[in-house]
Amino acid sequence: MAIIDHNEVRQLEAEIKNNNSSTPKDGSVYFSIKVRPTLPDFLTSISLRYVKLGFGYLICRWFYILMIAPIVLLIFGAEIWKHIRQDLSTKCDLMDAFFLVGLFVLILCVYLYYLVPRSTYLLDFACYRPPDDLKISKVEFIELARKSGYFSEASIGYQRRVLKKCGIGDESYMPRIVFKPDHKITLNDGREEAAMVMFGAINELFAKTKIRPKDIGILVVNCGVLNTTPSLSSMVINHFKLRNNVQSFNIGGMGCSAGIIAIDMAKDLMKAYPGSYALVVSTEAVSYTWYKGDHLDKLFPNCFYRMGAAAMLLSSSRQHRWRAKYELHQLLRTHHGVLDKSFKSIRVEEDEEGRQGVCVSKDAIEALLLPVSQHNDFFSNQMKSKTVFEHICIVATSKKVLDEMQRRLGLGDEHMEASRKTLERFGNTSSSSVWYELAYLESTSKIKSGDRIWQIAFGSGIKCNSVIWKALKNVGSPIPSPWD
């Protein structure tokens, strides 16, 4: 048996010859096989690919620095030596002054462009506010649910009790088609809802920033339950006619924390495509999460989820810092899916009659809050201070979850104001919730230059993700605002 070292790439060539001692008349034929190594195929060598990749990277960046730096230093040194030899009272002429200033600017630019890490800037964002005819009060919610004929009286009573304690007010928004009797929710219903909220938020963002769709180089769209073909990101590209080389990505099945995952992905993509504008869109299709049955664990989300979407414009270009509102300061992602209790706590499944819904187990709240202290400890250690954030935006899931978050993190009522107000006014808009909260803080003119805003969100998995933004200016009430 031949043993081939798999760490080497080698081609083998076989040569087959007849054995001289045997003939066909003997009844058997013997062959000798001679195997000899040949030269490697350098054109397809895996090692060569890495060499080419590394060489290309060096050529793109450091090669030019290494070639130019000695020349610059030589000229600079010669110029300095010339002035040292001159009388100290002798002044440099105008050309020498221009040369030294230009050389300093060149070295500074090279240093800033190649050696200083790029920051991620949030230029602006927009949150969609649906039309008033989609507002629904808690009383109307129960009336429409009863008239739809989908729920038993026991289920109606359960939803009434949940709505009474959930912290949602009477002005949140829902697609009324979910209450239509004998109507089966289709994929097209989900597409229409997603198009309404996504396009509305993006249109408002483009109007605020004066950015053209053709300027977008990176697109990241996240939606938990609704995943279509073509994707939601393709819907955005088609509607706004983005350029054909846009780097587009669609994140699905990641729950309420997916908005921060999308920010993290856009941040990494901007390192690969420096100078590009990144458009991030976060939403959820309420009509596609609606459950028409009597399982209480699936009726619970019916009472919380509401329509909404947010669109964010990011850039890593230093020339955009002057117009940006915020700079990304810290970002942390954790995933507790290795624990069965966390993995099974929130999921989409069908009941025995094939009706789909979001199932929330009794252990969901405990599983959601498990990684929160880890995030708080991490950021506290990073900031070296107990009071590390001026403003906090916790994803507005329910009143019970917010109460428990406040207790565990030891937060004051002022830190919970944005989350509670958002839950009351807009309900749980999933991954876009933390952006409605930031819009609330802006509408109250509470954000000053240098303030740090902590956005924290958790969702199915269980995942807990958080990000800290640093305000680059005093941020006043935007126009328009979902809180107008």
Side-chain angles (χ1 to χ4, degrees):
M1 179 183 294
I3 300 177
I4 300 177
D5 186 357
H6 56 77
N7 292 323
E8 299 180 2
V9 179
R10 175 181 295 179
Q11 282 193 332
L12 299 177
E13 183 181 84
E15 181 180 311
I16 302 177
K17 296 182 179 179
N18 277 97
N19 194 311
N20 293 332
S21 63
S22 63
T23 64
K25 294 181 181 181
D26 295 333
S28 62
V29 180
Y30 297 91
F31 296 94
S32 65
I33 302 176
K34 183 180 181 182
V35 181
R36 66 173 184 269
T38 61
L39 292 175
D41 185 355
F42 291 104
L43 294 178
T44 60
S45 170
I46 296 177
S47 300
L48 184 60
R49 293 183 203 169
Y50 289 113
V51 172
K52 290 168 64 179
L53 179 63
F55 182 74
Y57 182 80
L58 290 175
I59 285 295
C60 291
R61 292 177 178 269
W62 296 106
F63 179 80
Y64 294 109
I65 297 179
L66 295 176
M67 289 293 293
I68 295 174
I71 299 175
V72 171
L73 292 176
L74 181 62
I75 297 174
F76 185 80
E79 193 70 16
I80 293 296
W81 176 249
K82 183 179 71 173
H83 291 297
I84 291 176
R85 294 180 59 185
Q86 291 177 352
D87 186 7
L88 293 177
S89 62
T90 304
K91 295 182 179 180
C92 300
D93 58 27
L94 187 60
M95 292 301 297
D96 291 336
F98 277 124
F99 172 80
L100 292 175
V101 172
L103 185 60
F104 175 76
V105 171
L106 174 62
I107 295 174
L108 182 62
C109 289
V110 170
Y111 172 76
L112 291 176
Y113 188 81
Y114 289 101
L115 302 181
V116 177
R118 290 176 176 268
S119 297
T120 299
Y121 302 107
L122 174 61
L123 275 62
D124 212 333
F125 68 98
C127 299
Y128 179 69
R129 186 174 66 186
D132 288 344
D133 61 340
L134 294 180
K135 282 184 180 180
I136 186 166
S137 66
K138 288 179 283 189
V139 172
E140 187 179 14
F141 181 103
I142 295 300
E143 290 178 354
L144 292 175
R146 178 179 281 109
K147 292 179 181 178
S148 68
Y150 299 128
F151 310 105
S152 65
E153 281 302 316
S155 297
I156 293 294
Y158 173 77
Q159 292 179 84
R160 182 186 291 109
R161 292 193 300 272
V162 172
L163 286 171
K164 184 178 180 180
K165 300 178 181 180
C166 67
I168 298 178
D170 290 324
E171 293 189 319
S172 59
Y173 304 90
M174 285 194 66
R176 292 177 177 270
I177 195 171
V178 299
F179 297 107
K180 186 177 180 181
D182 301 324
H183 177 75
K184 181 180 179 180
I185 299 297
T186 65
L187 192 61
N188 192 54
D189 294 327
R191 281 197 184 101
E192 289 182 355
E193 179 190 343
M196 175 196 296
V197 295
M198 287 195 309
F199 298 166
I202 297 172
N203 276 324
E204 184 177 321
L205 180 65
F206 284 157
K208 292 169 68 174
T209 59
K210 310 301 181 185
I211 295 296
R212 301 172 302 169
K214 294 292 184 182
D215 295 330
I216 301 299
I218 298 168
L219 172 66
V220 183
V221 177
N222 73 268
C223 183
V225 178
L226 178 65
N227 291 284
T228 68
T229 302
S231 64
L232 297 182
S233 59
S234 294
M235 289 171 55
V236 172
I237 292 172
N238 176 262
H239 181 81
F240 291 96
K241 308 304 178 188
L242 303 187
R243 64 197 199 201
N244 57 14
N245 64 341
V246 63
Q247 303 297 313
S248 65
F249 298 86
N250 203 87
I251 301 175
M254 303 293 279
C256 299
S257 66
I260 295 176
I261 298 175
I263 294 292
D264 192 23
M265 176 177 282
K267 173 179 69 70
D268 291 341
L269 287 168
M270 286 188 291
K271 293 179 181 178
Y273 301 93
S276 299
Y277 285 111
L279 174 62
V280 176
V281 184
S282 297
T283 189
E284 187 58 82
V286 178
S287 58
Y288 220 62
T289 64
W290 186 255
Y291 173 65
K292 301 177 179 179
D294 293 321
H295 282 205
L296 301 187
D297 55 356
K298 297 180 181 64
L299 285 173
F300 191 73
N302 278 10
C303 302
F304 289 97
Y305 285 124
R306 297 294 186 269
M307 296 176 66
M312 290 67 69
L313 184 66
L314 305 171
S315 174
S316 62
S317 177
R318 294 184 181 90
Q319 65 182 359
H320 294 151
R321 179 185 173 90
W322 67 272
R323 59 178 297 192
K325 285 185 175 181
Y326 307 97
E327 179 182 8
L328 196 154
H329 194 64
Q330 295 271 346
L331 194 148
L332 178 64
R333 292 172 53 185
T334 58
H335 201 304
H336 286 240
V338 67
L339 304 175
D340 290 342
K341 183 178 180 180
S342 296
F343 177 73
K344 298 177 181 179
S345 59
I346 302 175
R347 60 197 183 275
V348 175
E349 63 180 22
E350 296 175 339
D351 62 14
E352 61 278 0
E353 297 183 17
R355 294 170 297 195
Q356 179 179 288
V358 179
C359 178
V360 179
S361 71
K362 296 179 180 179
D363 300 324
I365 293 181
E366 186 63 31
L368 285 171
L369 297 174
L370 180 64
V372 170
S373 58
Q374 178 183 350
H375 282 242
N376 190 47
D377 293 343
F378 172 79
F379 287 126
S380 296
N381 292 334
Q382 292 292 313
M383 300 293 188
K384 304 298 182 184
S385 170
K386 291 185 178 180
T387 308
V388 294
F389 316 107
E390 284 75 25
H391 311 284
I392 298 180
C393 301
I394 303 172
V395 61
T397 50
S398 69
K399 182 180 183 297
K400 185 176 181 179
V401 172
L402 293 180
D403 290 343
E404 190 65 19
M405 285 284 291
Q406 182 176 6
R407 184 184 69 82
R408 293 199 181 192
L409 297 179
L411 302 175
D413 292 339
E414 69 279 4
H415 288 127
M416 303 299 298
E417 182 180 347
S419 299
R420 296 191 187 280
K421 291 291 186 181
T422 299
L423 179 63
E424 179 184 3
R425 176 64 179 84
F426 293 98
N428 184 349
T429 60
S430 190
S431 58
S432 64
S433 174
V434 292
W435 298 104
Y436 285 88
E437 295 166 21
L438 184 56
Y440 172 80
L441 293 173
E442 289 188 351
S443 68
T444 55
S445 300
K446 291 185 176 182
I447 299 180
K448 308 301 180 184
S449 178
D451 283 359
R452 288 159 297 183
I453 303 98
W454 183 24
Q455 291 179 321
I456 180 168
F458 27 77
S460 58
I462 288 291
K463 297 175 290 295
C464 185
N465 304 316
S466 54
V467 60
I468 296 178
W469 300 97
K470 182 180 179 180
L472 299 177
K473 61 182 72 172
N474 295 338
V475 181
S477 180
I479 300 175
S481 169
W483 294 92
D484 289 342

